[in-house]
Amino acid sequence: MGSSDLDRQIEQLRQCEIITENEVKTLCQKAREILAEESNVQKIDAPVTICGDIHGQFYDLKELFKVGGECPDTNYLFMGDFVDRGFYSVETFLLLLALKVRYPDRITLIRGNHESRQITQVYGFYDECLRKYGSVNVWRYCCEVFDHLALSAIIDNKIFCVHGGLSPSINTIDQIRSIDRKLEVPHDGAMCDLLWSDPDDIEGWGLSPRGAGYLFGGDVVQSFLHNNDLNLIARAHQLVMEGYKLLFNDTIVTVWSAPNYCYRCGNVAAILELNDNLESNYKIFDAAVGVEARGAGLRKRAPDYFL
Amino acid sequence: MGFIERLNESVKGLKIDSEIEVSPSIEKVLGLLDALLQTKAEIPPVDNALSRFGNPAFVTFYDKAAEMIPELLKPIVPNDSIPEISAYLVESFGNRRRIDYGTGHEANFIAFLLCLEKLGVISSRDYTAAVLRVFVKYMSLMRELQFSYWLEPAGSHGVWGLDDYHFLPFMFGSAQLIDHKYIRPKSIHDPDIIEQFSKSYMYLGCIAFINSVKNTASLRWHSPMLDDISAAKSWAKVNGGMIKMYKAEVLNKLPIMQHFMFGTLIKFEGGSTVENEDEGCGHDHHHSVEVDKDGKEVYAMGQEHPECCGIPIPSAIAAAAAGQSRRPIPFD
């Protein structure tokens, strides 16, 4: 697939227009090749801008790029949960994927708990693929890509980035490297925990009310940072009213990039800009306005249950 | 599900404010909900600066409710059933830790009502009142909690679902509107009809609530599923669809039902098979026991009996449940 072909696809996706099923197939193949080479803990050099959950909110992703700068002018790390819940999971994920294939060293994508077959069948991505393409092939191709996504990233060996959080099975970064990640997100174990856990106001580890992963306290974060010579853990996975939230004496931050989540939460979104010296700057942004008119009328009929 | 369908039948064509028979048992349950509404009013939201999203006052309410409910249940149900029934009722307000609420929690309220039926506290004669009085009051309590304490939508399907929090008021609500002379499914777009009838019909009440909360865009945009449904030919079709959808999207969905509690009143029957992609489950079937710094074994919820996908949940769990008042089913 030529670079100009890819550029054309990127332009199309930027207009929130889907590419053909065959183009998706090729794009996903190419993406898998690139992602397969990445480590479970992908190394990134600063400067880079860290982003949290997007959940198919395509027009808000455009806002994000306006605020943070277009890729590849700005380096990006997206911490997963690209799909489900929003209208445009397909366009969102394919745009990010196309950017990854076009500028592999300028954008890093790691896996969220929603990048999973089981979850996407419940929370919308599967349905969206079916609606927009009339078949499940695109969903299948994307799930295969999900399996290849790195589990985490590390910036200048100092900032550890993961979608959910820590795992009681993992004390060192090296242990993460030895996980076999190229599979569907398991229901338990280290790989599951990294994508599902949450920091909480407790000591040590606790049962997670989500039913997967764990809760972990400030002491756990402290040990992990110390054992691995890190300064900060950046993660996403939880809605934050102010877009981002620092916890445990600023040793861990939750970054959330889906503004006005579900059209009701009224939250703002955030991105975390790190400069060459790893100094942080949080940028906040609101939901895109006036997007209604642009909504493609893809659902003109009553859902199958009601016919 | 049978219980839900029976409740659904009982309200076909009826307005909320219809004249209906209200038994003493129902009155007592209403009194219990009123007490909780009163409690809620006494617990205003607190400064949210430290919280991620949900208001910590919800936890205060939850704990107070958990304290009050066993007492409030004494005049209604036999003593030895109080622990189980309390558990369902308290869970029907949302999750304490995450300060969120979703259709799984709503299902707990139905479980609560089902327990009352199993114990003979209510009977089929009470179905209509159970929906039009009790469930409606529960809805008003939930709206208060959602609004004041900023409950996060738990497991919302976003634009691919019916509503962020609720399902049953749409189901019961559509039953209410069956055979209505002039209100049609498409009437949800008519603000006058909504204004006039939202208090009489649950479905319209829900639409009114959604419109008031999601006021940055139109219904077509933020709730496309409800918009689509408004194209259906009749409320009977909508109602039928709701029942099918509830079975498929709530009761048959693991992320919701994994949290459901089984006990002596509502027993877990049969195994569970998880539908997997034809390629195979792709799971890492390698389990190890984690230990924390004290050497104590640490388990995530349900992992005390680690099983892999597709393996039926052992009936030992149902048996064990008989000895405990609450037992979550494993996450698989």
Side-chain angles (χ1 to χ4, degrees):
Chain A
M1 169 173 56
S3 169
S4 64
D5 221 13
L6 189 47
D7 282 331
R8 192 254 316 148
Q9 287 174 21
I10 289 175
E11 267 328 292
Q12 218 173 302
L13 288 164
R14 278 191 169 132
Q15 308 305 314
C16 202
E17 268 178 50
I18 55 174
I19 56 181
T20 69
E21 186 174 302
N22 274 332
E23 287 172 327
V24 175
K25 186 172 186 187
T26 313
L27 177 64
C28 287
Q29 260 164 4
K30 207 81 196 98
R32 281 197 328 262
E33 283 165 30
I34 294 171
L35 293 171
E37 298 299 306
E38 292 190 346
S39 163
N40 290 347
V41 190
Q42 182 63 359
K43 277 188 195 272
I44 303 179
D45 297 321
V48 65
T49 297
I50 303 176
C51 314
D53 295 29
I54 306 289
H55 280 304
Q57 296 184 204
F58 182 85
Y59 288 103
D60 298 325
L61 177 62
K62 303 268 290 182
E63 286 298 298
L64 186 158
F65 283 133
K66 275 192 212 146
V67 166
E70 290 297 331
C71 173
D73 306 326
T74 302
N75 298 331
Y76 278 101
L77 163 62
F78 285 88
M79 297 192 288
D81 277 14
F82 319 111
V83 299
D84 284 337
R85 299 210 174 102
F87 258 141
Y88 302 108
S89 297
V90 170
E91 292 84 343
T92 298
F93 182 62
L94 293 179
L95 174 59
L96 292 174
L97 207 61
L99 289 171
K100 175 66 182 175
V101 172
R102 183 69 178 84
Y103 310 109
D105 301 319
R106 300 285 174 186
I107 173 172
T108 306
L109 307 174
I110 64 175
R111 197 170 189 176
N113 62 305
H114 278 255
E115 275 73 57
S116 128
R117 288 166 185 77
Q118 284 209 344
I119 299 294
T120 50
Q121 282 183 65
V122 177
Y123 291 106
F125 183 52
Y126 177 91
D127 291 323
E128 189 182 320
C129 289
L130 200 48
R131 291 261 197 164
K132 288 180 175 167
Y133 287 95
S135 85
V136 294
N137 293 329
V138 165
W139 177 77
R140 279 178 206 252
Y141 302 146
C142 291
C143 287
E144 283 163 14
V145 174
F146 295 160
D147 287 346
H148 287 74
L149 290 168
L151 300 180
S152 60
I154 185 160
I155 302 171
D156 286 1
N157 285 328
K158 283 293 171 193
I159 299 181
F160 178 67
C161 308
V162 70
H163 176 74
L166 301 176
S167 169
S169 330
I170 300 281
N171 292 316
T172 67
I173 303 269
D174 264 335
Q175 285 174 315
I176 303 180
R177 293 199 172 102
S178 60
I179 295 174
D180 175 11
R181 77 167 191 264
K182 299 199 182 85
L183 33 83
E184 169 65 10
V185 181
H187 290 172
D188 57 13
M191 179 167 160
C192 169
D193 300 339
L194 292 170
L195 271 42
W196 279 91
S197 295
D198 293 305
D200 204 81
D201 207 358
I202 56 172
E203 270 176 39
W205 298 93
L207 299 185
S208 172
R210 290 184 193 259
Y214 293 84
L215 301 177
F216 56 95
D219 51 341
V220 172
V221 174
Q222 198 49 45
S223 312
F224 189 80
L225 293 181
H226 182 257
N227 291 343
N228 295 282
D229 197 22
L230 301 163
N231 293 343
L232 175 72
I233 298 177
R235 45 89 65 178
H237 195 43
Q238 284 180 303
L239 170 63
V240 183
M241 192 60 194
E242 297 102 19
Y244 72 97
K245 191 151 202 82
L246 286 151
L247 285 177
F248 306 155
N249 255 335
D250 296 3
T251 52
I252 181 168
V253 65
T254 303
V255 181
W256 178 266
S257 305
N260 198 20
Y261 191 50
C262 293
Y263 294 105
R264 85 184 312 132
C265 294
N267 59 295
V268 293
I271 53 178
L272 165 52
E273 289 181 346
L274 295 171
N275 66 10
D276 286 300
N277 298 323
L278 288 187
E279 284 155 350
S280 346
N281 179 32
Y282 293 92
K283 282 202 170 139
I284 308 292
F285 61 99
D286 278 303
V289 284
V291 286
E292 273 186 68
R294 289 175 253 178
L298 62 93
R299 357 122 225 110
K300 286 286 181 202
R301 50 185 194 93
D304 292 337
Y305 294 115
F306 299 92
L307 291 173
Chain B
M1 189 66 213
F3 181 62
I4 292 178
E5 286 181 272
R6 294 196 298 275
L7 289 175
N8 183 68
E9 262 313 299
S10 76
V11 298
K12 284 186 171 165
L14 293 172
K15 291 169 90 158
I16 293 176
D17 26 351
S18 311
E19 282 288 313
I20 55 172
E21 180 198 322
V22 179
S23 70
S25 296
I26 294 280
E27 288 287 1
K28 288 188 199 148
V29 178
L30 288 172
L32 187 158
L33 288 174
D34 275 326
L36 292 171
L37 271 161
Q38 176 59 30
T39 302
K40 189 262 156 202
E42 291 159 8
I43 303 177
V46 298
D47 176 20
N48 221 17
L50 291 173
S51 164
R52 189 177 48 84
F53 187 80
N55 196 286
F58 174 70
V59 178
T60 313
F61 169 80
Y62 185 98
D63 289 339
K64 196 90 186 58
E67 208 184 280
M68 290 167 59
I69 281 170
E71 276 306 306
L72 291 169
L73 281 173
K74 281 211 171 97
I76 307 179
V77 297
N79 272 351
D80 50 0
S81 65
I82 287 185
E84 268 188 51
I85 299 192
S86 302
Y88 286 123
L89 187 52
V90 173
E91 266 314 288
S92 68
F93 303 126
N95 184 283
R96 183 188 188 277
R97 189 116 229 168
R98 292 177 50 72
I99 308 183
D100 66 11
Y101 178 90
T103 53
H105 300 109
E106 184 189 66
N108 272 293
F109 190 75
I110 298 298
F112 162 69
L113 293 177
L114 179 56
C115 288
L116 294 182
E117 187 187 53
K118 282 186 183 260
L119 290 168
V121 172
I122 63 173
S123 72
S124 54
R125 282 197 324 269
D126 294 309
Y127 285 167
T128 309
V131 179
L132 298 182
R133 297 281 180 275
V134 177
F135 187 77
V136 167
K137 195 172 272 274
Y138 166 72
M139 282 298 300
S140 61
L141 172 59
M142 278 326 304
R143 293 225 174 99
E144 295 273 327
L145 298 176
Q146 286 153 9
F147 213 65
S148 305
Y149 301 138
W150 285 7
L151 299 185
E152 219 179 302
S156 163
H157 292 205
V159 301
W160 301 97
L162 206 52
D163 180 80
D164 295 327
Y165 293 127
H166 291 290
F167 196 110
L168 291 171
F170 294 97
M171 184 199 290
F172 297 148
S174 57
Q176 281 186 290
L177 284 161
I178 288 178
D179 289 336
H180 195 278
K181 290 202 195 62
Y182 53 84
I183 300 180
R184 299 265 176 278
K186 65 178 198 266
S187 308
I188 66 167
H189 299 294
D190 184 336
D192 292 324
I193 291 192
I194 304 269
E195 207 190 354
Q196 222 187 334
F197 292 103
S198 57
K199 293 207 169 37
S200 304
Y201 293 105
M202 267 186 270
Y203 200 98
L204 301 177
C206 287
I207 302 282
F209 184 65
I210 293 173
N211 281 337
S212 72
V213 174
K214 299 198 181 190
N215 51 17
T216 54
S218 74
L219 195 79
R220 286 206 149 92
W221 181 254
H222 59 65
S223 306
M225 192 155 243
L226 289 172
D227 181 50
D228 280 352
I229 290 168
S230 68
K233 292 201 173 73
S234 68
W235 287 109
K237 273 226 153 26
V238 176
N239 189 243
M242 290 283 168
I243 293 175
K244 284 191 225 150
M245 190 170 158
Y246 191 78
K247 284 185 188 150
E249 299 292 339
V250 179
L251 298 181
N252 267 342
K253 284 282 155 65
L254 189 62
I256 301 173
M257 294 318 290
Q258 59 164 329
H259 299 293
F260 196 76
M261 298 176 285
F262 293 94
T264 60
L265 288 165
I266 302 182
K267 295 191 170 61
F268 179 78
E269 279 149 36
S272 94
T273 44
V274 177
E275 292 153 55
N276 295 306
E277 271 303 291
D278 354 327
E279 293 90 283
C281 67
H283 278 222
D284 173 21
H285 287 203
H286 166 255
H287 293 283
S288 52
V289 173
E290 331 302 356
V291 290
D292 65 11
K293 60 184 193 297
D294 297 315
K296 212 158 62 68
E297 291 175 347
V298 181
Y299 292 100
M301 186 180 287
Q303 288 173 13
E304 301 92 296
H305 303 271
E307 298 294 352
C308 292
C309 57
I311 294 178
I313 295 168
S315 58
I317 291 189
Q324 290 171 241
S325 60
R326 42 197 302 183
R327 175 89 193 180
I329 69 174
F331 175 51
D332 188 11

